[in-house]
Structures are given as structure tokens and as C-alpha cells.
Amino acid sequence: MVTATRAQPRERGGPLGVAVLGSTGSIGRSTLDVIEASAGRFSTWLLAAHRSTSALLEQARRMRPAWVVVVDEQAAADVDPRSLPAGTRLAVGPEALDDLVRNPAIDRVVSAIVGAAGLRSTWAAVEAGKAVALANKETLVMAGPLVMALAARCGATILPVDSEHSAVHQALCSGQHADVKRIVLTASGGPFRTKPREALATVTPAEALAHPTWSMGPKITIDSATMMNKALEIIEARWLFDMPAEKIAVLVHPQSIVHSMVEFVDGSVIAQLSPPDMRLPIQYALTYPERTEGPARKFDFTRPMTLEFEPPDVERFPAVRLGHEAAARGGTAGAVLNAANEAAVGRFLAGGLRFTDIAEACARVLDEHPFEAEPTLDEILRLDSWARQEVATWSGC
Ligand code: NAD
Ligand code: MG
């Protein structure tokens, strides 16, 4: 279960200060929509991005944060401080971000940097006891037990932004942890849901980037196409909800309306439904335990709606199996799978690997890695580098 599900009260009265890590990305931009529509409940205190400085400056002029952080030092060199709005200061580099994220002016941290790069600032936020709205699933995939223990120790709350985990969080409120039979994570199936196995080897990055129901950043879009995203989400659920891997199932649901379900021992299945729009889980993570009006799309029940469900085809999408395996093994397995996948996705997008090589490379690296059951953060980071190196030199089966 999420360690602490009670949101912090409005500490100082007035708007709650929000730090948006990865503000120029898909989740980051949706977060700013939620803040703008919050009628003064939230205000932006910090915006951080990697290299996209012009988008970041535009956001700064729109949101008027106290700080903007450019993590990439070279990109920051191009920023003219005179282009910042009055009252906004510029900081540069990952250490500056780690420091600022601890600032007492921040009540909510939205962790929306993509990939393993999101771990360190999320760690800093958790260590500072913040209420963290967690989109960066990689944090839990890599270091779930360490991060959850840190949250418990430091009094941080971690609320999921991932739509499936947000749905599970809501469904779990219907019963007790001990009475959960299983968590059912839904998956859209991605653009290749019905593609025959032989055709998958030759799909192009452009085809893999065309997601049928969600508009997301490129990395998670490729992960949806391979279903590695579901693998990462199995591991995320394993640690976030303290649920053994065998109690986490995956169900393909092409409409992306039922965001996930929880089945209890009496046979009741509780689901959360809404149109596919990340602004809703972002808002839920920011306002919990309250609910407010918001900008997310709503159902029109005057129109017919069909919901379909089918089991995943793990022969065509072997990544799902890897997710279960890594969730069951724990230890360093999640970090290695995540790093291997990030490197493989990078090579696929650059034209250096076939689509089907992504899961193959991940399986090989996961099998061959020197498994450690209770790693430290340093050991995790060392194996993250090792796994990337292995994939960089992997030449296929
Ligand atoms: P994106 O690629 O659209 O945006 C990534 C953001 O991270 C950008 O602001 C970028 O500047 C920043 N960034 C990248 N590398 C960085 C680095 N080294 N240091 C600091 N900042 C860096 O990604 P996204 O789709 O918004 O996804 C963000 C996270 O949310 C991912 O972990 C993803 O798995 C998760 N998530 C996304 C969605 C979605 O709908 N997009 C849904 C669920 C979960
Ligand atoms: Mg998801």
C-alpha cells in the first residue's frame, strides 16, 4: 500500500507551492494545465527541464515560478537571464535541482522527468518529506524498496500519477489490503495489438510512435508499443502497493477507459473509469484526499460506448513476462530491466535495433546480470550503467 496516503494540510494557507520536475514534457505540460485550472489552489514554485530552454522560458512567463532549473549545463549557457520574468531566478544542473526541491516553500512535487534521470530529484523530494505526485515510475522500478522505506522514514507521501496506479489507489479504498485477491492493470495494447508476430520485427520508429489512445513522450510511447510499459508498471505496483508479483495481472483494454481494477477475495471487482486524459490522475495526486472540478475530459453518456478486454499475448509481447519476473525477483532486477530497456529504446529510435530486439536484449541482460537481493542505491546505479553498456554493445541473437 502507498506508505502514507494522507495528503499534507495547507501548511501556510494560500496556494500550495508546486515543483514540476520535467515541466516541458507531456506530463509536465498537463500539470501546468491542472495548476492553471485550480482557481488559486496551487501555484507554481519551480519548473525544471533538461534542455528545452525556450519552452521552459515560455512556461516561466506563463506561470511565474520563483525558480526555473535547467539541468543540462550546456543548454543553460544559452539562456539569457534577462529573458526571465521578474521574480523568477535561474538555477543550473542536477545538484541545484536536488537542493531546490527540498525548499520548504514546496508543498507538492510532481516528479515527471523521464527515465532513470528522474530518480535523484525524486529521492531528494522524498528525503525532504514532501508530498510527491509520482509520474516517474522508473524511481520505483529501480529502487522501489529503498524509496518506500525512505518515504516511511521521512514522512513523505507518494501518490501515483500513472493512470493505472491512480486507478488502483482509488479502487483499494473500497477494501482492506489483506482482502485483495489481485490487482488488474489494464493496457491499451499499443499500436501493434493486432499485428502478427512476424511483422513486428520490421516495424519502424514512426509506426511505434503512433499510439492509438494516449499522447505521451517518445520513450513511454515506445514502451507502450512493446508493452514494456506494462512490465515497468507491474514492478511499480509491486512496491507502491506492497503486492506480490503473482497478485498483479495484466489485461488488454484497447479503449483505455478502465484505467485498472482491484479484485477482492469476495469476487467484487472495483474499477476506475474516465476518458484517457492524464490531467485527471495528476490532479487526483495533487488534491488527494479531496476532489475538485478540473480540466480533464468527461464522459458523454448520451453516446454509445464499448469496452473490450482480452488477455495479453505474451508470445508477441514477451516484455510482460519480464515485468513479472523482475517484480518477483526484486533486488537489482527492476533497475537492470529498466536501464537495458532505456538503452534499447534509444538504439531502436536511432535505427540501430529492430523493434523485437528491445525485449530480447532486455531478457538477455536481465538473465546475465550479477543479481543482488538487497542492493544499496550505489549498487543499483552501478548496475544501471553496466546494463546500458551491455545493450550498447549487444549485437542481437
Ligand atoms: P517527456 O519525454 O514528454 O518529458 C520528459 C521531461 O523530462 C521533459 O521536461 C525533459 O526536459 C525532462 N528531462 C529529460 N531528461 C532529463 C534529465 N536528464 N534531467 C532533467 N530533466 C530531464 O516524458 P513524459 O511522457 O512526460 O513522461 C515523464 C514521466 O512520466 C516518465 O517517467 C513516464 O514513464 C511517466 N508517465 C508518463 C505518462 C504520459 O502520459 N506521458 C503516463 C504515465 C507515466
Ligand atoms: Mg500507465
Side-chain angles (χ1 to χ4, degrees):
M1 197 73 67
V2 183
T3 38
T5 49
R6 198 132 300 281
Q8 292 168 1
R10 291 186 190 215
E11 290 83 345
R12 290 175 302 278
L16 293 173
V18 183
V20 188
L21 317 183
S23 65
T24 56
S26 167
I27 293 290
R29 293 192 307 272
S30 293
T31 302
L32 301 195
D33 286 351
V34 170
I35 294 172
E36 276 188 325
S38 74
R41 185 184 180 100
F42 300 110
S43 73
T44 311
W45 195 82
L46 178 149
L47 295 172
H50 191 214
R51 293 198 185 107
S52 36
T53 50
S54 52
L56 186 64
L57 287 173
E58 207 177 293
Q59 292 183 335
R61 288 189 282 272
R62 177 176 147 208
M63 306 304 290
R64 301 298 182 110
W67 287 93
V68 292
V69 183
V70 178
V71 172
D72 184 84
E73 296 180 15
Q74 266 180 338
D78 296 334
V79 177
D80 176 358
R82 285 171 305 183
S83 56
L84 289 167
T88 297
R89 285 188 280 174
L90 170 70
V92 177
E95 291 83 11
L97 180 57
D98 297 352
D99 281 349
L100 280 169
V101 117
R102 300 169 192 272
N103 193 290
I106 299 172
D107 302 299
R108 301 280 184 277
V109 175
V110 178
S111 162
I113 289 173
V114 61
L119 172 62
R120 59 180 294 170
S121 49
T122 310
W123 184 278
V126 171
E127 201 168 42
K130 299 292 183 193
V132 179
L134 186 70
N136 180 265
K137 62 191 87 185
E138 294 87 349
T139 291
L140 290 177
V141 171
M142 292 175 73
L146 294 179
V147 171
M148 296 310 284
L150 184 72
R153 213 164 50 240
C154 300
T157 61
I158 299 178
L159 279 165
V161 164
D162 221 345
S163 54
E164 296 78 1
H165 303 71
S166 178
V168 169
H169 182 261
Q170 295 175 63
L172 283 172
C173 297
S174 290
Q176 301 193 56
H177 190 263
D179 299 333
V180 173
K181 177 136 188 250
R182 68 187 142 186
I183 284 174
V184 182
L185 299 176
T186 53
S188 71
F192 307 135
R193 183 173 60 86
T194 56
K195 222 178 192 35
R197 192 176 180 177
E198 350 30 284
L200 285 176
T202 54
V203 300
T204 63
E207 290 172 304
L209 284 167
H211 197 279
T213 50
W214 293 102
S215 161
M216 309 179 285
K219 196 272 180 175
I220 184 174
T221 305
I222 301 299
D223 288 350
S224 297
T226 57
M227 291 194 73
M228 189 63 82
N229 184 45
K230 224 37 63 178
L232 303 180
E233 290 181 354
I234 293 168
I235 306 167
E236 180 184 11
R238 160 77 187 91
W239 305 120
L240 188 58
F241 302 118
D242 189 20
M243 202 57 72
E246 65 273 15
K247 284 190 171 186
I248 305 171
V250 170
L251 190 59
V252 173
H253 166 49
Q255 290 79 20
S256 303
I257 297 275
V258 174
H259 295 297
S260 279
M261 311 184 244
V262 173
E263 183 180 352
F264 289 94
V265 284
D266 60 359
S268 278
V269 176
I270 309 291
Q272 185 262 338
L273 288 72
S274 53
D277 185 334
M278 287 307 294
R279 290 175 297 184
L280 181 53
I282 292 167
Q283 177 178 308
Y284 176 80
L286 289 173
T287 62
Y288 180 83
E290 292 168 29
R291 291 182 185 265
T292 59
E293 298 274 346
R297 289 200 300 281
K298 312 290 185 299
F299 283 129
D300 175 359
F301 288 114
T302 63
R303 302 173 70 155
M305 177 166 60
T306 304
L307 303 178
E308 298 164 282
F309 300 95
E310 65 198 33
D313 180 346
V314 292
E315 298 307 320
R316 283 187 305 132
F317 298 103
V320 177
R321 252 197 226 123
L322 297 180
H324 270 120
E325 180 192 326
R329 289 178 81 186
T332 45
V336 166
L337 177 61
N338 178 64
N341 178 55
E342 278 187 34
V345 169
R347 279 191 70 185
F348 168 69
L349 287 173
L353 280 186
R354 290 175 311 173
F355 181 76
T356 42
D357 290 337
I358 298 174
E360 289 260 6
C362 289
R364 175 70 68 87
V365 173
L366 190 59
D367 270 356
E368 290 179 357
H369 94 274
F371 178 75
E372 175 63 56
E374 289 188 14
T376 62
L377 193 56
D378 281 348
E379 284 163 342
I380 285 171
L381 295 175
R382 205 167 48 245
L383 275 174
D384 172 286
S385 304
W386 172 86
R388 284 168 204 272
Q389 199 51 44
E390 289 296 302
V391 173
T393 54
W394 189 74
S395 52
C397 293

